[in-house]
Amino acid sequence: MGDEQVLIPNKSTAMMLRKVAVSLLLLTSASVYSADVADVGAPVPIYSEAELIKLINQNKHLERIKADKCQLVEDIVARATRINLPSYEFLYGDMLAWGVCVDQDVDLGIYYMESAAHQGLPAALERLGSYYANGILVQQDKERAIPYLREASAMGNLNARIQLAELLLRNYGSPLDFEDAYRWLYHSVTADTRMHKRIALLRKGLAERMPQNIIARAKTRETFW
């Protein structure tokens, strides 16, 4: 210890070392910040109502949320829980139900999807009808699925119309629904060839159980959806 010398930097050397330390700190901070920004990506604008409804109808809404790296969760929650926009209620409900970008809570998810359905969002009505028909997230109850699918069908939802017809042909629901189910399918339009063939088969199955005068009425009766 007695032979060792302690070097005390002069004032100019100390200032230089301090500048180097500050520069290193700034570089490190900038690197961390850049990495965070790169991970999250550029800010994502909130979806318009039309854009979101289109995503929901295409069943791409959860995929989009993941692709956007969950950046819009706070905006989605606010629009669902404070403004009560049905499209955002459905989106938030589905996120909760499947644990996408939020902690999974199936009961709360169904609650928000039900709220969207009660406000008349066709996609919410169709999705809940599908969940009950297939026992997804909820206990399977095909009879309970019918009212959801019927209402969505009346509002022009093609997926609901197809599912409703399939349930009717499996002896669920009421024979009184055959005319409406046939009429909705008869007046449906789609560019999808496979969907078109599926509709034709369902119409044929319904027609086999309906009197000819009811079929004729279903084809000519004006629709209001």
Side-chain angles (χ1 to χ4, degrees):
M1 288 290 292
D3 294 332
E4 294 179 357
Q5 293 183 350
V6 178
L7 297 177
I8 300 176
N10 57 34
K11 186 175 182 180
S12 60
T13 302
M15 291 181 65
M16 183 181 69
L17 292 172
R18 187 175 180 182
K19 288 180 179 180
V20 171
V22 171
S23 297
L24 288 173
L25 179 61
L26 290 173
L27 285 172
T28 302
S29 299
S31 298
V32 172
Y33 177 76
S34 297
D36 289 342
V37 171
D39 288 341
V40 174
V44 177
I46 192 67
Y47 317 125
S48 67
E49 277 280 284
E51 181 183 11
L52 179 53
I53 290 173
K54 183 178 180 180
L55 287 170
I56 292 171
N57 288 337
Q58 296 173 341
N59 198 26
K60 295 181 178 178
H61 51 292
L62 296 182
E63 179 183 324
R64 177 64 177 273
I65 293 296
K66 293 176 184 177
D68 290 338
K69 300 183 185 292
C70 305
Q71 290 189 57
L72 298 177
V73 171
E74 290 186 6
D75 291 309
I76 292 168
V77 173
R79 283 164 172 73
T81 62
R82 299 177 188 174
I83 307 177
N84 302 118
L85 294 174
S87 57
Y88 277 93
E89 285 188 317
F90 175 78
L91 174 60
Y92 182 44
D94 227 15
M95 288 166 62
L96 286 165
W98 297 104
V100 174
C101 296
V102 294
D103 292 335
Q104 188 173 27
D105 188 331
V106 176
D107 287 340
L108 189 59
I110 295 296
Y111 167 83
Y112 278 107
M113 283 189 274
E114 288 275 8
S115 180
H118 290 157
Q119 291 193 64
L121 183 69
L125 290 160
E126 182 274 326
R127 191 60 49 83
L128 284 168
S130 179
Y131 284 169
Y132 280 111
N134 296 288
I136 299 173
L137 298 176
V138 295
Q139 294 299 309
Q140 188 175 46
D141 189 338
K142 296 183 185 297
E143 292 293 346
R144 187 171 181 179
I146 296 289
Y148 290 105
L149 296 174
R150 180 179 170 79
E151 189 169 350
S153 296
M155 298 174 74
N157 188 287
L158 184 55
N159 288 329
R161 292 176 175 185
I162 289 171
Q163 292 178 79
L164 176 63
E166 289 175 340
L167 287 176
L168 291 174
L169 290 174
R170 293 173 187 167
N171 298 318
Y172 294 99
S174 169
L176 297 175
D177 290 328
F178 276 46
E179 181 179 352
D180 284 335
Y182 186 94
R183 184 178 74 253
W184 289 326
L185 289 177
Y186 182 80
H187 291 284
S188 293
V189 177
T190 177
D192 188 316
T193 303
R194 289 189 302 175
M195 187 77 77
H196 194 273
K197 290 181 179 178
R198 191 176 178 187
I199 290 172
L201 287 172
L202 290 170
R203 280 178 49 203
K204 181 181 178 182
L206 291 170
E208 290 173 352
R209 304 188 183 192
M210 298 167 61
Q212 286 301 315
N213 65 314
I214 301 299
I215 295 173
R217 186 171 67 185
K219 288 181 178 180
T220 59
R221 189 174 177 180
E222 185 179 1
T223 57
F224 297 94
W225 47 267

